[in-house]
């Protein structure tokens, strides 16, 4: 019998994906049934007032267990992680949060006989030896960042818990995620979000990767759809578990600038690559996601032009209301 998702815990719920995922899950499963958690950043009013919220530290198993027991949690969306750029500045912290956090979530899932856990991976799992164009599902995984190392180890760990202990674990390799609600927290793909904010705020942007840098990206509505569709997929049909490639968009930083200029013709961008260029150069330009399409029906909906229009509309409205960067 397929067990149903009832009581959900989201870790990293104050982060870029977690904040919108929590709201989407509350919409689908009932606000009281979706517990948002974060480590230290204050949640937005919307997140706090729409359902339960707790401060927990995923590296401390006991703090996780208190919330799991209190809310009879059967499903965890484990979004708490240190991203690539911050991870390069503090590799030990990145290892501790990403690996011990993941291990704690997996152990909790086993100990509490959970219905399922969703633990994302990333395009950071790939490295310079990986084929860059239409990167295959099964390929060389030799990342050069600590974030990537934790993502490869995390994928292997999750798949081990599936085969060894029968825990229902699922995960996808997120590309760069673009959204207008919460800013990303220190990744290499952050330029693709910052550029929209600066276009609206200042009319110019200094981009930290070269104009010809192409990386896989995805708009938040597609990211939410991918995450929730995978969570709801029939486990018996899954051949892969924790490492699904999911593609959506692939464009260069220059393409992004041009798409913004169609709406804001005076917008200008300069390109001043920093250490994050070195990371971007080891990641794919585009993704072959046929396994996700075949096994759970993945199908992205947004293209670059529609995303740019939507991002600029949302951010321009907020800017006019004097709250471009949110309520704070
Ligand atoms: N957006 C992430 C990063 O840049 C990739 O998963 O670190």
């Amino acid at each position: 019998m397929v067990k149903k998702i009832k009581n959900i815990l989201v870790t990293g719920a104050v982060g870029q994906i977690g904040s919108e995922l929590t709201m989407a899950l509350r919409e689908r499963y009932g606000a009281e049934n979706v517990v948002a958690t974060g480590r230290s950043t204050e949640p937005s009013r919307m997140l706090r007032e729409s359902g339960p919220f707790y401060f927990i530290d995923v590296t401390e198993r006991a703090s996780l267990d208190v919330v799991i027991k209190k809310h009879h949690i059967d499903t965890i969306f484990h979004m708490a992680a240190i991203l690539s750029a911050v991870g390069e500045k503090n590799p030990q912290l990145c290892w501790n949060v990403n690996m011990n956090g993941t291990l704690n979530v997996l152990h909790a899932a086993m100990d509490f006989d959970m219905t399922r856990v969703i633990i994302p991976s990333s395009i950071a799992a790939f490295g310079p030896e990986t084929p860059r164009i239409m990167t295959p599902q099964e390929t060389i995984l030799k990342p050069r960042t600590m974030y990537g190392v934790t993502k490869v180890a995390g994928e292997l760990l999750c798949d081990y818990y599936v085969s060894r202990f029968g825990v229902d674990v699922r995960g996808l390799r997120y590309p760069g995620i673009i959204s207008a609600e919460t800013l990303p927290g220190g990744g290499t793909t952050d330029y693709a979000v910052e550029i929209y904010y600066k276009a609206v705020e200042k009319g110019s942007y200094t981009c930290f990767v070269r104009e010809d840098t192409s990386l896989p990206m995805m708009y938040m509505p597609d990211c939410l759809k991918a995450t929730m569709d995978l969570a709801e997929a029939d486990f018996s049909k899954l051949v892969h578990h924790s490492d699904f490639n999911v593609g959506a968009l692939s464009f260069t930083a220059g393409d992004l600038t041009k798409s913004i200029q169609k709406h804001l013709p005076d917008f200008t961008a300069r390109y001043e690559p920093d250490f994050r260029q070195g990371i971007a150069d080891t990641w794919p330009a585009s993704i072959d996601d046929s396994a996700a399409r075949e096994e759970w029906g993945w199908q992205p909906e947004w293209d670059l032009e529609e995303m740019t229009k939507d991002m600029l509309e949302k951010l321009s409205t907020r800017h006019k209301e004097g709250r471009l960067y949110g309520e704070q």
Side-chain angles (χ1 to χ4, degrees), residues 83-85 121-124 147 174-177 186-190 283:
L83 296 184
S84 59
S121 183
S122 160
I123 52 164
Y147 177 60
Y174 286 134
I177 305 298
T188 301
T189 56
D190 291 14
W283 289 357

Side-chain angles (χ1 to χ4, degrees), residues 82-323:
I82 301 291
L83 296 184
S84 59
V86 173
E88 284 318 283
K89 295 211 163 125
N90 196 339
Q92 285 87 353
L93 175 77
C94 182
W95 175 268
N96 185 31
V97 172
N98 296 6
M99 292 317 302
N100 292 327
T102 295
L103 202 57
N104 282 338
V105 167
L106 288 169
H107 278 168
M110 204 163 78
D111 294 347
F112 291 98
D113 193 22
M114 286 200 193
T115 301
R116 101 192 26 148
V117 284
I118 290 79
I119 302 184
S121 183
S122 160
I123 52 164
F126 303 118
E129 291 86 1
T130 310
R132 285 200 77 229
I133 311 295
M134 290 306 276
T135 298
Q137 175 70 42
E138 307 296 345
T139 188
I140 301 165
L141 301 176
K142 289 176 72 180
R144 297 296 200 275
T145 60
M146 179 55 99
Y147 177 60
V149 169
T150 66
K151 287 295 161 189
V152 174
E155 289 180 3
L156 294 171
L157 197 61
C158 291
D159 281 348
Y160 177 78
Y161 274 70
V162 175
S163 61
R164 176 80 161 79
F165 302 117
V167 181
D168 181 339
V169 192
R170 300 151 188 223
L172 19 71
R173 292 172 175 150
Y174 286 134
I177 305 298
I178 295 167
S179 64
E181 294 302 323
T182 306
L183 284 168
T188 301
T189 56
D190 291 14
Y191 66 90
V193 180
E194 286 171 10
I195 194 169
Y196 287 108
Y197 278 77
K198 295 297 173 202
V200 167
E201 191 182 14
K202 297 193 160 132
S204 64
Y205 178 59
T206 304
C207 182
F208 59 75
V209 296
R210 280 192 321 269
E211 186 172 5
D212 64 353
T213 303
S214 177
L215 288 172
M217 302 279 178
M218 184 183 278
Y219 196 31
M220 184 60 91
D222 274 337
C223 170
L224 300 179
K225 183 162 96 86
T227 309
M228 297 205 286
D229 284 359
L230 176 60
E232 289 285 358
D234 181 347
F235 189 73
S236 67
K237 299 223 169 73
L238 300 184
V239 180
H240 299 85
H241 294 103
S242 309
D243 58 3
F244 282 104
N245 279 4
V246 279
L249 310 170
S250 278
F251 49 78
T252 64
D255 294 336
L256 188 52
T257 299
K258 284 193 201 97
S259 86
I260 294 173
Q261 283 166 338
K262 284 186 195 155
H263 301 266
L264 302 172
D266 296 334
F267 172 64
T268 54
R270 288 191 306 146
Y271 303 89
E272 289 179 10
D274 67 13
F275 75 101
R276 289 166 284 191
Q277 181 71 54
I279 300 177
D281 288 342
T282 68
W283 289 357
S286 57
I287 294 287
D288 175 357
D289 59 5
S290 42
R293 289 174 190 253
E294 278 158 29
E295 292 176 41
W296 49 275
W298 164 239
Q299 184 69 57
E301 286 174 358
W302 288 79
D303 65 23
L304 173 60
E305 299 311 326
E306 284 169 2
M307 175 177 76
T308 293
K309 188 166 170 287
D310 198 52
M311 282 290 287
L312 292 176
E313 269 170 21
K314 287 194 167 121
L315 296 179
S316 302
T317 304
R318 285 223 305 271
H319 189 45
K320 280 188 200 122
E321 293 167 355
R323 48 179 200 96

